[in-house]
Amino acid sequence: MRDTFRRLRGWFPLESLRVQLLSRTLLILAALLILVGLLQYVLMKDVVYKSEASSLQSQARSIPPIAWERMEGDKQDKEEQLPFFFIPKANLAFIDWDGNYTVLSDEYQNVAPPRLAAEQYEKALKRKPELNYSIVKNDAGTEQLVVLQPTASKSGNIIGVIQISTPTAPLKELLLRQLATFIVLSLLAMLLGLFGYLPVLRKTLVPLFNMVETAEQIDAGNLARRFSTAQRQEEIDRLAASFNGMLERLEASFKAEQETKEQMRRLVADASHELRTPLTSIHGFLEVLLRGAANKPEQLNRALQSMHSESERLNKLVQNLLLLARLDRTPHLELLPGNLGELLGEMEPQLRILAGERQVDMEIKEQITCKYDSDQLKQIVLNLFHNAVQHTDSKEGHIHVVLTEEKNWIQLVVSDNGPGIGSEHLPHVFERFYRSDSSRTRKYGGAGLGLSITKAIVDAHGGTIHVTSEEGKGSRFYVRLPKESSGPESP
C-alpha cells in the first residue's frame, strides 16, 4: 500500500503547480456538480409531484357527472347504489357536504387512503376547481400525494369532493434513480475531465516550464540569457519582462562591481608604482650619503635637493589621493552663490604667470553668478590650465579660456594648440593615473590624477565635463555647471 502511495505521489507530486491546479479545478467542478444535482433533485421533485397530481386530477375529471348522482339521496340509498371505480395506481374517495367519507376503490398496494381534516374538505368544496395537491401520511404512516377535486351533478350543483391519492414511494424512487444516474454521469465526466484536462494543462504550463529552464541556465552562469516575452500569455509575458529588467539591473551591477574592482586594482597598482619611484629615489640618495657623500658638501647639497624634490612630489601625490578619497566619500560641497566672472578675473594674473611666454586669451563674461565652492572651483581652473600648459610649447603655445552663460547652465572652456589626444585615449583621460603621454607627464611631475580630481569636483557641483581633441591641433575641455546647483543628486 505504501509503495502504491509513493508511486502515485511520484506521478502526481502534491507540491506541483500542475497537480494543485488540477485538484482545485476538479474540486470546484465537483462542488458545482453537487449543487446542480441538489437543485435538480429539488426542482424535479416539484415537477414530478405536479405532473402526478395533474394526472390524478385528469383521471378524476374524466369520471362523468352521472356517476356522482348516485351519491345524492339518503344514506341507505347511497349504500345500496354505491358506485365502484378502478383508477390505476391510485385510491379514490368521496366526501359530501356533510363530511361523510366514502372509499370508492380498492386499496392500491394495500395502502389505505388518508383522511384529511374536515376544514380542508370544506375549503375544497368552496374554491374553484384548480390543481392543488398536498403530501400527507395515513394512519399507518405511509406518505401519499393527495388531490382534492370538487365535483358537480348534471344540474351543476357541487355535490362533494373527490379525493384521489397515490403513494409517493414510487415517485421518490424515480427521483432517486435520476439522481443516481446524474451522479454516475458526473463521476464519468470528472474522470474524463481528469484525463482530458491533463494534456491541456500541461500545454498551458509550457511557458512556465520554459521560464524554469531559462532560470536554470541563468543560475548556471549564463547571465546574458533572457526570458522570452512572446509566449502569448499576458501574465507570463509580464513576469518574464519583470525578470528581464531585474536581470539587466543585476548584470549592470555585476559589471559595475567588476569595473570598480578593476579600477581599484589599477588604482592600487598605479599608486604603488607612483609612490615607489620617489621612495626609491630618496632611498638611493640616502645610501649615497651613508657611503661618505655626506662629507662632501657639493654631493651632499645635490642629494638633499633631489630628496627634497622627491619628497614634495610624494607629498603632492598623497594629498591628491586623500582629496580623491574625500570627494568619493563625501562628494557634497558647501555651495554658495557668487560671481564666477569675478573669480576668474582674480585668477588671471596667476594664470598668466603659470603660462610663461605662452599666449593666453581670456573671454570672461561679467556678472555670471551661480552656486559654487570657490576653493574647489579654483582647483578646476588651475588643473585644466596647468594641463594645457604642460601640453603646449613654451613659446608657441596658445591657451584660450572662455566663460559663457546659457539658459540654465554656465560653461567654462579651456582649449590649447598642443599635440592633442589620440582617439583611443579620449575615453580614459579622466581615469585615475591614466596618462596618454607618460614621458611628458613624468617630466612635469604629474601622476595622472589632475583630471580625475577635476571630474570629481565637477560632479560634486552637479555639473558635467567632457573633452574634444584632434591630433596635431590641440584639445578643448568643456565644463558645464548648473546655475542653481545643489550638489550631485543622491543615488
Side-chain angles (χ1 to χ4, degrees), residues 214-459:
T214 303
E216 291 175 350
Q217 295 178 6
I218 295 173
D219 184 57
N222 186 9
L223 293 179
R225 191 81 163 83
R226 291 294 180 268
F227 295 97
S228 174
T229 57
Q231 302 194 60
R232 293 183 295 180
Q233 288 188 6
E234 181 182 358
E235 293 79 5
I236 297 296
D237 290 343
R238 289 174 58 189
L239 180 63
S242 299
F243 276 137
N244 287 340
M246 180 185 66
L247 288 172
E248 289 177 0
R249 291 191 294 273
L250 287 175
E251 188 175 11
S253 298
F254 289 152
K255 288 182 178 179
E257 182 181 3
Q258 291 176 355
E259 291 177 358
T260 302
K261 288 182 178 179
E262 181 62 22
Q263 290 177 358
M264 184 62 66
R265 186 194 64 78
R266 291 199 306 266
L267 175 63
V268 172
D270 293 339
S272 300
H273 176 73
E274 293 295 331
L275 291 171
R276 183 182 62 183
T277 302
L279 288 175
T280 302
S281 179
I282 293 173
H283 180 75
F285 284 115
L286 287 174
E287 285 185 348
V288 171
L289 293 175
L290 290 174
R291 290 175 182 175
N295 298 324
K296 300 177 181 180
E298 185 177 344
Q299 292 185 2
L300 176 61
N301 184 56
R302 190 184 311 117
L304 290 176
Q305 288 181 354
S306 298
M307 285 191 294
H308 181 266
S309 175
E310 292 297 332
S311 64
E312 284 185 343
R313 179 182 168 194
L314 184 61
N315 184 52
K316 182 179 179 182
L317 177 61
V318 172
Q319 288 180 353
N320 287 338
L321 288 174
L322 290 175
L323 176 59
L324 280 173
R326 186 172 67 252
L327 291 173
D328 288 341
R329 184 175 64 254
T330 55
H332 183 72
L333 303 176
E334 185 178 357
L335 307 181
L336 300 175
N339 191 328
L340 192 56
E342 290 182 0
L343 180 67
L344 291 182
E346 294 174 359
M347 294 181 66
E348 184 175 355
Q350 180 183 0
L351 297 179
R352 292 190 180 277
I353 293 174
L354 185 63
E357 297 182 11
R358 298 171 182 83
Q359 180 182 350
V360 178
D361 293 331
M362 300 189 69
E363 297 181 16
I364 301 174
K365 182 179 178 180
E366 297 180 356
Q367 300 302 323
I368 295 182
T369 59
C370 68
K371 290 184 178 180
Y372 58 89
D373 185 302
S374 60
D375 293 335
Q376 299 297 339
L377 198 60
K378 287 180 180 180
Q379 183 75 33
I380 293 174
V381 177
L382 287 174
N383 285 350
L384 294 178
F385 195 87
H386 185 263
N387 183 75
V389 169
Q390 284 184 334
H391 294 86
T392 53
D393 185 78
S394 60
K395 294 183 179 181
E396 302 295 330
H398 184 195
I399 302 174
H400 196 191
V401 179
V402 180
L403 181 65
T404 59
E405 182 179 15
E406 298 180 6
K407 183 176 181 181
N408 297 316
W409 296 88
I410 294 173
Q411 180 169 271
L412 173 66
V413 182
V414 179
S415 58
D416 60 66
N417 63 342
I421 305 173
S423 57
E424 70 276 11
H425 299 297
L426 280 177
H428 308 287
V429 293
F430 296 108
E431 294 181 5
R432 299 173 185 183
F433 293 106
Y434 186 84
R435 294 172 297 197
S436 60
D437 187 353
S438 59
S439 61
R440 181 182 296 271
T441 308
R442 180 75 66 191
K443 175 182 177 181
Y444 290 94
L449 293 176
L451 293 180
S452 300
I453 294 174
T454 301
K455 184 179 186 305
I457 297 174
V458 171
D459 291 341

Side-chain angles (χ1 to χ4, degrees), residues 135-187:
I135 305 298
V136 296
K137 294 183 179 180
N138 61 6
D139 295 338
T142 303
E143 188 179 83
Q144 299 183 57
L145 184 146
V146 178
V147 177
L148 299 178
Q149 175 65 33
T151 184
S153 62
K154 279 184 175 184
S155 59
N157 297 322
I158 301 298
I159 60 176
V161 176
I162 303 172
Q163 174 184 297
I164 186 167
S165 60
T166 185
T168 58
L171 303 179
K172 289 184 177 180
E173 184 179 354
L174 173 63
L175 293 171
L176 291 175
R177 283 200 304 269
Q178 290 182 342
L179 182 61
T181 302
F182 177 79
I183 292 174
V184 171
L185 292 176
S186 298
L187 293 175

Side-chain angles (χ1 to χ4, degrees), residues 43-58:
L43 296 176
M44 284 300 297
K45 180 179 180 181
D46 185 61
V47 171
V48 169
Y49 279 15
K50 282 185 178 181
S51 177
E52 184 67 17
S54 178
S55 176
L56 294 176
Q57 187 181 46
S58 298

